[in-house]
């Protein structure tokens, strides 16, 4: 199903069911057509803002556990949310841990052909402007601007998470928009990057992580974006009691912070790429 | 031996590949307990539960 | 200035070779008792181990191990009740999964996984305790001191990172 049609079906579906919903979380066009930002809709008249396109890469499920009351309400009103395949896995993980109630949600699942990593796109074409539309057609990402139509092979512009996605289709949903898709890779290729990395020498691996983590500024944005990092103000990276990390900026603190993030996500991370 | 720089995998060039840490974690859990996160809403996350019958670990 | 500091680090590094530090996280009910039994029985044990008593191996956060190793502990030994014998019934069953996960994960971030060991020793097994500590301590002595993570990286390894082609 083409992207515009999906957007339309998406809007129509929410319109039909809006009586049961108090809020719809989806994506809208950002400050230009090259950006999609989250949108929170409380009035049916605003549903026209909703869009679906390959720029809708943000995982919206994080808002449910962190910012909203996701328990069942007395009036039985639900929260409508749009999810891609990967986002739906985050939802499942949150439901498993009782952070949100399945019955509180009206989930609209969208089979996803992959999302475009804007940084990669801008890297290839830094002068990109006046974009009208971004879409994925088979193995190509198509960017239409006022002047021209550009085509990029998907390996060059898709987000990394999308190139190794095994679950393009939502695993949990009330309504699915469009037909299920086939994953782009086979299961045995899923961890090829890790396997490759494992063949290197241990000292090199240590040195690699040292150089990489040394660039970390501990802004905690990775933690804040992560839908499963639910400790919020009690995060042990910031709490003083227990005190795990100091304010010092050394490789040890940086390294340990990433270990905290990694180990706290063990068995929970759905690799949504946030 | 030449080093395999994992950042050479799709990346705009300057992100810290933190995903790799989580990928490794998931790979281990897949190997060890045959578990994948976020697939079955009824399942219990593997580190929040145990199996007394487990052997070999 | 930096040179001086680096020299100091390497000096302390060689000094530390004489004194290996192993951190032992022992569960209160079994392994701590086991270590006590070994002591009471006057079994000869290596002196490298610094014991931290925890209520149960279920208290063990894998991060304790990671932090110790990052900050330069030479080895970390975790020991608790045998599976199914936990004082709190199931604590060590949780711990078992976590420790195994960590054991498999450490090599990935470039930490020698042999520096970390988990084992099960009950309160009556003084002899077993002696054996475990001796073996692990020998292993760590073989591996030598752990520099932990510092700003320094030896030039050769750093260069090898960039020689990809």
């Amino acid at each position: 199903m083409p992207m515009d049609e999906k957007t339309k079906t998406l809007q129509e579906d929410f319109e039909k069911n809006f009586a049961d919903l108090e809020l719809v979380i989806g994506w809208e066009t950002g400050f230009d057509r090259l950006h999609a930002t989250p949108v929170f809709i409380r009035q049916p008249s605003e549903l026209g803002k909703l869009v679906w396109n390959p720029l809708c890469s943000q995982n919206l499920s994080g808002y449910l556990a962190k910012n909203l009351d996701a328990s069942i309400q007395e009036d039985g009103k639900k929260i409508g949310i749009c999810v891609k395949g990967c986002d739906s896995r985050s939802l499942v993980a949150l439901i498993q841990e009782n952070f949100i109630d399945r019955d509180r949600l009206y989930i609209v699942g969208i089979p996803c052909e992959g999302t475009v990593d804007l940084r990669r796109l801008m890297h290839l074409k830094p002068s990109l402007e006046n974009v009208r539309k971004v879409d994925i057609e088979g193995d190509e990402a198509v960017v239409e601007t006022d002047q021209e139509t550009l085509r990029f092979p998907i390996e060059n512009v898709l987000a990394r998470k999308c190139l190794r996605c095994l679950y393009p289709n939502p695993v949990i949903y009330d309504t699915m928009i469009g037909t299920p898709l086939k994953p782009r890779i086979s299961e045995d290729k899923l961890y090829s990057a890790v396997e490759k990395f494992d063949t290197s020498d241990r000292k090199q691996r240590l040195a690699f992580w040292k150089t990489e983590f040394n660039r970390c500024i501990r802004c905690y944005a990775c933690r804040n974006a992560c839908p499963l990092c639910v400790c919020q103000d009690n995060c042990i990276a910031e709490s003083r009691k227990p005190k795990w990390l100091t304010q010092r900026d050394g490789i040890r603190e940086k390294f340990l912070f990433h270990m905290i993030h990694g180990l706290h996500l063990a068995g929970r991370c759905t690799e949504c790429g946030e | 031996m030449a080093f395999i720089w994992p950042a050479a995998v799709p990346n705009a060039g300057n992100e810290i590949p933190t995903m790799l840490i989580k990928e490794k974690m998931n790979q281990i859990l897949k190997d060890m307990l045959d578990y994948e996160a976020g697939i079955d809403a009824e399942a219990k996350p593997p580190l929040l539960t145990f199996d007394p019958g487990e052997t070999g670990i | 200035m930096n040179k001086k500091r680096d020299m100091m680090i390497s000096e302390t590094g060689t000094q530390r070779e004489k004194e290996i530090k192993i951190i032992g996280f022992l569960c209160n009910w079994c392994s701590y008792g086991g270590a006590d039994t070994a002591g009471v029985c006057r079994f000869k044990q290596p002196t490298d181990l610094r014991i931290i008593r925890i209520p149960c191996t279920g208290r063990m956060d894998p991060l304790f191990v990671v932090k110790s190793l990052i900050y330069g502990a030479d080895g970390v030994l975790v020991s608790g009740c045998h599976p199914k014998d936990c004082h709190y019934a199931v604590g060590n069953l949780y711990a078992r999964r976590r420790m195994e996960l960590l054991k498999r994960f450490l090599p990935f971030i470039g930490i020698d996984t042999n520096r970390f060991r988990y084992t099960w020793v009950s309160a009556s097994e003084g002899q077993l305790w002696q054996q475990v500590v001796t073996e692990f301590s020998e292993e760590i002595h073989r591996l030598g001191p752990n520099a932990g993570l510092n700003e320094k990286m030896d030039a050769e390894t750093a260069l090898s990172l960039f020689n990809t082609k």
Side-chain angles (χ1 to χ4, degrees), chain C residues 7-59:
Chain C
M7 259 169 63
M8 274 163 68
I9 290 174
S10 62
E11 264 168 33
T12 41
T14 44
Q15 253 177 26
R16 276 178 47 199
E17 225 158 325
K18 286 170 207 146
E19 197 201 350
I20 292 277
K21 270 198 187 123
I22 301 173
I23 317 283
F25 290 94
L26 307 193
C27 116
N28 180 30
W29 303 98
C30 291
S31 294
Y32 198 83
D36 199 28
T37 311
V40 169
C41 296
R42 308 223 170 255
F43 292 143
K44 198 165 165 15
Q45 293 174 44
T47 52
D48 311 319
L49 192 73
R50 306 286 184 279
I51 293 173
I52 295 172
R53 178 157 65 161
I54 52 175
C56 171
T57 40
R59 173 70 180 90

Side-chain angles (χ1 to χ4, degrees), chain A residues 27-28 36 51-59 84 87 115 161:
Chain A
W27 302 275
E28 68 172 332
V51 293
W52 162 252
N53 58 42
L55 301 169
C56 300
S57 56
Q58 192 184 338
N59 185 346
K84 306 183 289 292
D87 308 347
T115 59
K161 62 166 179 175

Side-chain angles (χ1 to χ4, degrees), chain A residues 105-125:
Chain A
L105 299 178
Y106 177 70
I107 306 169
V108 175
I110 309 169
C112 166
E113 289 176 75
T115 59
V116 170
D117 185 333
L118 275 186
R119 277 161 299 194
R120 298 189 73 200
L121 185 62
M122 297 311 279
H123 193 66
L124 289 177
K125 186 84 184 154

Side-chain angles (χ1 to χ4, degrees), chain C residues 111-165:
Chain C
I111 295 178
D112 194 340
T113 194
N114 293 326
R115 291 192 187 276
F116 164 59
R117 185 177 293 185
Y118 68 94
T119 154
W120 318 113
V121 175
S122 84
S124 57
E125 296 173 322
Q127 200 117 45
L128 178 63
W129 176 251
Q130 181 197 24
Q131 195 190 328
V132 165
V133 180
T134 316
E135 271 177 26
F136 188 58
S137 169
E138 275 166 15
E139 170 86 35
I140 299 300
H141 275 279
R142 204 173 52 73
L143 292 172
N146 171 25
L149 239 65
N150 46 41
E151 313 299 329
K152 227 173 37 152
M153 190 195 295
D154 71 273
E156 210 175 303
T157 330
L159 274 177
S160 76
L161 281 181
F162 297 97
N163 286 335
T164 50
K165 303 266 148 59

Side-chain angles (χ1 to χ4, degrees), chain B residues 14-33:
Chain B
N14 43 17
E15 276 171 43
I16 301 173
T18 52
M19 259 318 271
L20 224 53
I21 299 263
K22 284 105 189 171
E23 276 171 35
K24 178 65 187 178
M25 212 74 88
N26 284 354
Q27 187 208 29
I28 296 172
L29 284 161
K30 179 95 175 108
D31 272 6
M32 190 164 102
L33 304 163

